[in-house]
Amino acid sequence: MKTTNKNNEVIDLETLISNLKSEDNRNQKILNQSKLLMWGVVALYSIMIIIQLFNTLNFLRTIGTACIIIAFIILAWGYKKSSETYQHIDYGLPILDLLRNVVKRFTFSKNQIFQKQFIFFFIGFLLTVIGFNLLIFNDLGFLKPINRIIVVTSAYLFLLGLGGLSGFFIWYKRQKPLRDSALQLISEIES
Amino acid sequence: MTQKEEQFKTLIAENGDRILRICRYYNPNTEDQKDMYQEILVNIWKSLDNFRGDAAISTWIYRIAVNTSLGFTGKAFKQMKLIVNVDTENLISLYQDDSLEEKLIQEHNLNQLQLELNQLSVIEKSMISLLLEGLSMREIADVIGITEPNVKVKIHRIKEQLKLKLTGGKYENY
């Protein structure tokens, strides 16, 4: 519905509002479904641990699965916190503040290492390494215990490294230019 | 209608004109103006939940409009143009010298002014667009996020630069 207001002749305001509300609802739905999925997976794995405990009495596998579940919860929480921090750009901020937020968002600066979510990411990472080692430990019986740990940890680090490398390329191609532009504008404003 | 929707409609009704003017400063054609206008409205909607009333509504709207304009042209933001014409309000505020007022309406000088304005940096163009909107130095400082003295220095520098270029050798030919 178009209004007679001169400004609303530029666009159909009612349609725009309707679309914005639909997008808000869709985003909220995705968020709720992700939460449901996450807790569903946690519940499923918790049941598997209990069954495993009673059936196989395999202590190492049980502890390994528990470590991975806890790691999953921690990483999911850390990801959620990061998303909340960086998801919404507040365009109502002064230009300089918005640009600084852009730089912070796209720079793995020293400050970010000490932010809570990154410490939890590190704990989550350690728990997954421990978890995978415990899960596969008995399956690699042909190796010495220390070698089993080295193989599993190396394989995990290799896969993590591949993921990190692709993440770096994506950052370099898409986010670094934005950060560099923001830095240039900041330098202009502050000069 | 939700409270947010009501608030949004009121904001647009009261500030639509200033948003449109900002869009006209940065886009030569109507279609691009419409696209930018819509993008600003979308960003107002998204930022509405974060508005705590710590700034005047008009300042907040100008922030969103200028921040949107910086991202609107994407990679080409450095080539962002500032468009003025004889009807542009407060155009005279760009000039330090009152005697240039009459010359302003002459097409050649306007074209020259347009050319010189587009030589300015992105941030300088943003500041000029706010000056053309009739914002005070204090208000421009609130939008940019720097101090008022800093804004005064920058705008004075821009005006001196414009005056030098417009009243240099070429003007003497007039």
Side-chain angles (χ1 to χ4, degrees):
Chain A
M1 181 186 96
K2 291 187 195 287
T3 67
T4 55
N5 184 309
K6 180 183 79 174
N7 299 322
N8 293 332
E9 285 170 8
V10 181
I11 58 158
D12 186 339
L13 195 62
E14 291 297 333
T15 306
L16 176 67
I17 292 173
S18 170
N19 290 341
L20 288 169
K21 279 162 69 174
S22 297
E23 195 181 322
D24 283 352
N25 291 338
R26 189 174 60 91
N27 290 340
Q28 190 59 43
K29 201 172 166 184
I30 291 170
L31 199 67
N32 292 339
Q33 283 171 350
S34 305
K35 279 184 195 172
L36 205 66
L37 183 68
M38 189 191 84
W39 289 114
V41 168
V42 167
L44 186 69
Y45 267 90
S46 301
I47 292 167
M48 280 171 64
I49 286 178
I50 295 167
I51 293 171
Q52 210 167 45
L53 201 59
F54 283 109
N55 280 352
T56 65
L57 294 176
N58 189 324
F59 181 72
L60 286 181
R61 276 190 184 272
T62 306
I63 298 296
T65 310
C67 283
I68 289 171
I69 290 175
I70 296 168
F72 182 75
I73 293 171
I74 291 171
L75 291 170
W77 178 84
Y79 176 73
K80 179 177 172 288
K81 280 288 174 191
S82 290
S83 297
E84 280 170 7
T85 307
Y86 298 122
Q87 189 176 16
H88 298 292
I89 299 174
D90 184 2
Y91 283 87
L93 290 173
I95 296 171
L96 190 57
D97 292 351
L98 182 130
L99 291 170
R100 283 181 180 147
N101 279 355
V102 168
V103 171
K104 191 176 165 185
R105 187 178 178 180
F106 295 139
T107 308
F108 192 75
S109 67
K110 285 181 185 175
N111 289 335
Q112 287 188 349
I113 294 174
F114 298 107
Q115 282 182 21
K116 280 184 189 170
Q117 47 261 44
F118 284 92
I119 290 173
F120 281 101
F121 274 134
F122 185 68
I123 293 170
F125 159 72
L126 272 180
L127 282 171
T128 49
V129 169
I130 293 167
F132 279 123
N133 270 296
L134 291 174
L135 267 178
I136 304 170
F137 196 79
N138 288 333
D139 295 336
L140 298 174
F142 53 92
L143 291 172
K144 287 183 190 173
I146 185 69
N147 290 341
R148 296 180 214 179
I149 294 170
I150 290 170
V151 164
V152 172
T153 306
S154 302
Y156 182 77
L157 285 175
F158 175 72
L159 289 171
L160 206 65
L162 279 179
L165 203 64
S166 62
F168 173 78
F169 280 125
I170 291 169
W171 171 81
Y172 191 85
K173 185 92 179 154
R174 289 166 65 172
Q175 296 173 351
K176 185 176 177 298
L178 293 172
R179 188 204 67 170
D180 291 346
S181 300
L183 281 170
Q184 190 185 342
L185 287 171
I186 290 170
S187 160
E188 240 181 78
I189 293 173
E190 291 178 338
S191 65
Chain B
M1 201 192 301
T2 63
Q3 192 185 355
K4 183 175 179 178
E5 196 178 328
E6 209 175 302
Q7 197 181 3
F8 181 72
K9 281 185 175 177
T10 307
L11 268 174
I12 303 310
E14 291 172 0
N15 295 279
D17 281 340
R18 49 173 63 106
I19 298 170
L20 261 174
R21 282 196 302 270
I22 293 282
C23 296
R24 284 177 188 143
Y25 290 138
Y26 295 122
N27 299 285
N29 68 66
T30 327
E31 280 311 305
D32 287 344
Q33 287 168 18
K34 266 189 195 178
D35 288 343
M36 187 172 168
Y37 183 79
Q38 179 159 302
E39 193 155 332
I40 291 173
L41 260 52
V42 169
N43 289 334
I44 289 173
W45 176 269
K46 286 180 180 175
S47 303
L48 207 48
D49 293 333
N50 294 325
F51 182 61
R52 299 281 175 263
D54 49 344
I57 288 282
S58 58
T59 301
W60 185 73
I61 295 285
Y62 279 124
R63 283 177 188 168
I64 294 175
V66 176
N67 283 330
T68 305
S69 72
L70 290 178
F72 185 67
T73 47
K75 290 178 188 175
F77 80 95
K78 288 178 191 173
Q79 283 84 44
M80 184 174 80
K81 295 197 182 301
L82 186 62
I83 295 141
V84 296
N85 54 55
V86 286
D87 299 324
T88 302
E89 279 183 54
N90 300 311
L91 197 55
I92 192 59
S93 62
L94 294 180
Y95 287 81
Q96 308 262 51
D97 184 347
D98 289 341
S99 70
L100 289 171
E101 182 174 357
E102 207 177 309
K103 297 291 180 187
L104 182 65
I105 60 173
Q106 293 178 18
E107 191 179 327
H108 174 82
N109 261 339
L110 193 64
N111 287 340
Q112 185 66 19
L113 174 65
Q114 186 71 82
L115 205 71
E116 296 306 332
L117 285 174
N118 286 323
Q119 301 298 319
L120 298 174
S121 70
V122 170
I123 293 298
E124 285 170 340
K125 283 176 193 164
S126 300
M127 292 175 76
I128 291 298
S129 69
L130 295 173
L131 193 70
L132 292 172
E133 278 293 293
L135 265 66
S136 66
M137 298 294 165
R138 173 78 249 164
E139 286 166 330
I140 295 175
D142 279 343
V143 172
I144 307 284
I146 53 177
T147 62
E148 189 180 341
N150 201 343
V151 167
K152 283 181 180 170
V153 166
K154 286 183 187 303
I155 287 182
H156 175 76
R157 211 185 290 156
I158 294 168
K159 286 184 179 180
E160 283 294 308
Q161 200 182 327
L162 285 174
K163 184 183 174 185
L164 198 69
K165 289 191 178 173
L166 292 171
T167 60
K170 285 186 181 179
Y171 176 67
E172 282 169 14
N173 292 333
Y174 262 84

